[in-house]
Amino acid sequence: MKKSAKIILSALLILISLAGCKKPRTKFVIGLDANFPPMGFYDGDKLTGYDVELAQEVAKRLNLEFEAKPINWQDKDKEIQSGNIDCIWSGFTILEERQKQYIFTKPYLSNEQVLVLNNDTKVKSLADVKNFVIGCQSYSSAEDAINANPTFYSSLKSIIYSEDYLKALDDLKNRKVDGIVMDSIVAQYLIAVSDEPLVILDEPLAYEDYGIGFKKDKDGEELCKLVWETLRGMQADGTVSAISRKYFGTDISKIQ
């Protein structure tokens, strides 16, 4: 039996198991930050992005109705615990603290937390940052990366927190902040598509992996396995690679 066929069979067996123990699932709802391109964002009135397209294809293969639900990022824990969403699928960094509250898939992408600056900066390394006003998204892994780097943190004048990175980038372009700490995947995409005079410092603050986070209960565990096996099937048949190339120009997936 071919590898892709084995993966599909495994996913179907999990789906049958889910259906047999409770009312069959009919819908798959992901929670996401809708201002987080290229992972999730609005193209006109359409909500799209790398994470959205992956999740939509997973739902299609499982014969489930799909909904991508924009959420306030600081309320993500409440959204998952209340059952309003089935998972967080939005460039969600796998952190030790989060693993106490979520069941994560294996990593599907790697990322770095980086410092983004205006291109007339004289800063060449994190050690050059002195008395800066730094922007970042509140309740994010960028905030965690800043707090986890005491030397960098102590060098700052202040930190301005934003609800999303589009607002933080506006603050940087308008010189309201001296730099922003954010996901390298998002920073590279936004700089490329906007052609703004911004640069990414070569020295990252942190290295991390993205995973999909589910509620830490039996249903969440079973759904997590089902989604991951479906993604593995999509990786095996080239679907993940095609979506990756659409948004990143190359296949950067870590799914195996």
Side-chain angles (χ1 to χ4, degrees), residues 224-238:
C224 179
K225 290 178 181 178
L226 177 61
V227 168
W228 185 250
E229 288 302 315
T230 306
L231 281 171
R232 289 184 66 220
M234 290 164 55
Q235 178 72 37
D237 66 23

Side-chain angles (χ1 to χ4, degrees), residues 36-43 48-50 166 169 182-196 200 244 246-249:
F36 198 57
M39 312 308 288
F41 62 98
Y42 281 101
D43 182 6
T48 188
Y50 181 73
L166 298 183
L169 280 166
M182 62 185 299
D183 299 60
S184 62
I185 283 178
V186 180
Q188 290 167 12
Y189 178 84
L190 287 173
I191 291 173
V193 300
S194 67
D195 200 30
E196 293 287 350
I200 300 172
S244 181
K246 175 179 177 180
Y247 288 99
F248 306 113

Side-chain angles (χ1 to χ4, degrees), residues 190-210:
L190 287 173
I191 291 173
V193 300
S194 67
D195 200 30
E196 293 287 350
L198 303 174
V199 294
I200 300 172
L201 194 67
D202 288 338
E203 183 182 358
L205 273 81
Y207 299 90
E208 61 191 27
D209 287 319
Y210 286 162

Side-chain angles (χ1 to χ4, degrees), residues 109-174:
L109 283 182
S110 290
N111 182 55
E112 299 170 347
Q113 290 300 323
V114 294
L115 181 61
V116 181
L117 305 157
N118 286 297
N119 67 354
D120 58 359
T121 183
K122 295 181 179 179
V123 171
K124 302 300 180 183
S125 71
L126 293 176
D128 296 332
V129 175
K130 305 293 183 183
N131 208 34
F132 270 29
V133 177
I134 293 295
C136 82
Q137 185 181 35
S138 55
Y139 299 92
S140 67
S141 50
E143 182 180 356
D144 293 330
I146 294 171
N147 293 333
N149 191 323
T151 301
F152 178 76
Y153 181 85
S154 63
S155 73
L156 303 179
K157 180 179 180 179
S158 62
I159 302 172
I160 295 179
Y161 298 98
S162 300
E163 289 187 5
D164 61 70
Y165 281 119
L166 298 183
K167 173 62 168 62
L169 280 166
D170 283 339
D171 286 345
L172 178 59
K173 289 181 287 186
N174 294 323

Side-chain angles (χ1 to χ4, degrees), residues 4 11 42 45 51 103 115 120 141 150 159 214 228 239 254:
S4 58
Y42 281 101
D45 294 331
D51 282 340
I103 296 171
L115 181 61
D120 58 359
S141 50
I159 302 172
F214 296 78
W228 185 250
T239 302
K254 292 189 67 173

